[in-house]
Amino acid sequence: MTACLRDVLIQVRVTTACLILPLLSTGCASVPLKSAGTLTSYDKLSEPKGLLSKSRNYVDASALASVKTVGIVPTTLTQSASARVKTVSDQAMVANALDREICVALSDKFQVVRPGAPADLMVRTVVTDIVPTNRAVAVLATAVTLGSGFALPVSVPRLPFGLGGLAVEAEAVDSKGNQRAAMLWARGANSISNKPRMSEVGDAYGLATMFGSEFSRMLVTGKEPRTLDIRLPSGQRIRSWLGGKPKYATCDSFGRAPGLLGVVAEKFGAPPEWTDKRPQAAPQR
């Protein structure tokens, strides 16, 4: 090995260590649970729990056992959450990604009905806070990650700066207005599992899907979501994730998932709006 090559490898190792060590202590954005006062009740919520995702939960398993149909009220943002995102289109994209995930995930057990139709259960969600992603840092983080992929066997973690986050509250009420499930949830992006995207809502967009999955899982199982879910996704969820036709036409009102194109775009740090498929008008039934 030449002295020049040895020096290069030493420099790469030093650079990698300098990047990784800070991640161990500061590799996750801190986003507190935030209430907006939109839930029917907060009295039955559990104490805060969770590591990456923090949440306060309530679920009435016995009441959910008889539910067959579910309706979804489109997600809204509080005034303070909207004020943190510059464009209305970005706000709508985050809310829509959340609704799309809830619709597809709930389809595993329930029939999702069109807006305005009678339902055994109605889901209402409000985004209470969005921590914007620093786009300049995301660009740098993408360059470092991609560059390390060519120089090292594995790419280094994301730079632990300018990370975004999301806070949400949601509930499911029955036809009489009784609360049957509720969740206060917050999560910040981290340097390991959240890829940098060159968008102010790059992290919030991905986290919206995570929330939708966790909340839906609680409704489907009747149990508070676990930190680790090792169950295989259903066939209809895989098909929808790939951008295919959802199980219920109502879910098309939230558009189709970006699928494999979205995965590639995420790898290269592209803004989510480049691949996010706009909502379509769901046919009436």
Side-chain angles (χ1 to χ4, degrees):
M1 179 183 295
T2 67
C4 181
L5 179 57
R6 182 174 63 249
D7 290 342
V8 170
L9 291 176
I10 291 174
Q11 183 62 44
V12 168
R13 290 173 183 172
V14 170
T15 302
T16 302
C18 290
L19 289 171
I20 292 177
L21 288 176
L23 300 182
L24 299 178
S25 58
T26 61
C28 184
S30 177
V31 182
L33 295 171
K34 187 173 182 179
S35 168
T38 65
L39 299 186
T40 303
S41 172
Y42 294 82
D43 297 338
K44 298 177 182 179
L45 293 174
S46 66
E47 292 299 312
K49 58 186 64 176
L51 297 175
L52 294 177
S53 301
K54 293 181 173 58
S55 64
R56 296 180 61 198
N57 312 302
Y58 162 68
V59 59
D60 185 344
S62 59
L64 292 177
S66 61
V67 170
K68 297 185 182 302
T69 57
V70 175
I72 299 173
V73 177
T75 293
T76 59
L77 281 71
T78 62
Q79 186 174 358
S80 59
S82 297
R84 304 194 71 179
V85 179
K86 295 177 182 177
T87 67
V88 174
S89 60
D90 278 351
Q91 298 170 16
M93 185 171 59
V94 172
N96 187 73
L98 192 159
D99 289 333
R100 179 168 56 216
E101 178 63 23
I102 286 179
C103 193
V104 171
L106 290 182
S107 298
D108 276 348
K109 182 177 181 180
F110 310 112
Q111 178 186 354
V112 183
V113 302
R114 61 180 174 81
D120 299 329
L121 203 68
M122 190 66 63
V123 174
R124 303 190 294 233
T125 307
V126 176
V127 173
T128 58
D129 196 14
I130 292 179
V131 178
T133 303
N134 187 305
R135 285 182 290 186
V137 174
V139 171
L140 177 60
T142 299
V144 171
T145 300
L146 292 176
S148 66
F150 292 104
L152 301 171
V154 294
S155 60
V156 300
R158 176 180 177 180
L159 296 173
F161 311 107
L163 302 172
L166 185 73
V168 186
E169 65 180 20
E171 68 177 355
V173 298
D174 64 19
S175 56
K176 296 181 179 180
N178 299 311
Q179 187 183 73
R180 297 307 182 187
M183 177 183 287
L184 257 66
W185 184 95
R187 180 164 175 164
N190 66 74
S191 300
I192 305 300
S193 61
N194 299 108
K195 302 296 184 184
R197 306 193 71 167
M198 293 172 278
S199 166
E200 188 178 39
V201 294
D203 290 316
Y205 177 81
L207 294 171
T209 299
M210 292 182 184
F211 167 78
S213 178
E214 288 191 26
F215 184 62
S216 299
R217 187 161 72 245
M218 187 170 73
L219 298 183
V220 168
T221 64
K223 300 177 182 179
E224 292 189 34
R226 298 178 179 178
T227 302
L228 180 64
D229 183 20
I230 59 175
R231 295 174 304 164
L232 294 175
S234 65
Q236 72 92 14
R237 291 194 71 180
I238 293 175
R239 183 176 63 250
S240 295
W241 180 82
L242 291 172
K245 183 178 180 181
K247 183 177 181 180
Y248 295 110
T250 302
C251 294
D252 258 339
S253 64
F254 305 116
R256 302 280 178 90
L260 295 179
L261 182 60
V263 174
V264 174
E266 183 181 27
K267 178 177 176 59
F268 288 93
E273 62 266 25
W274 285 14
T275 54
D276 187 79
K277 299 180 181 178
R278 295 172 180 262
Q280 302 173 21
Q284 302 295 309
R285 287 183 173 179

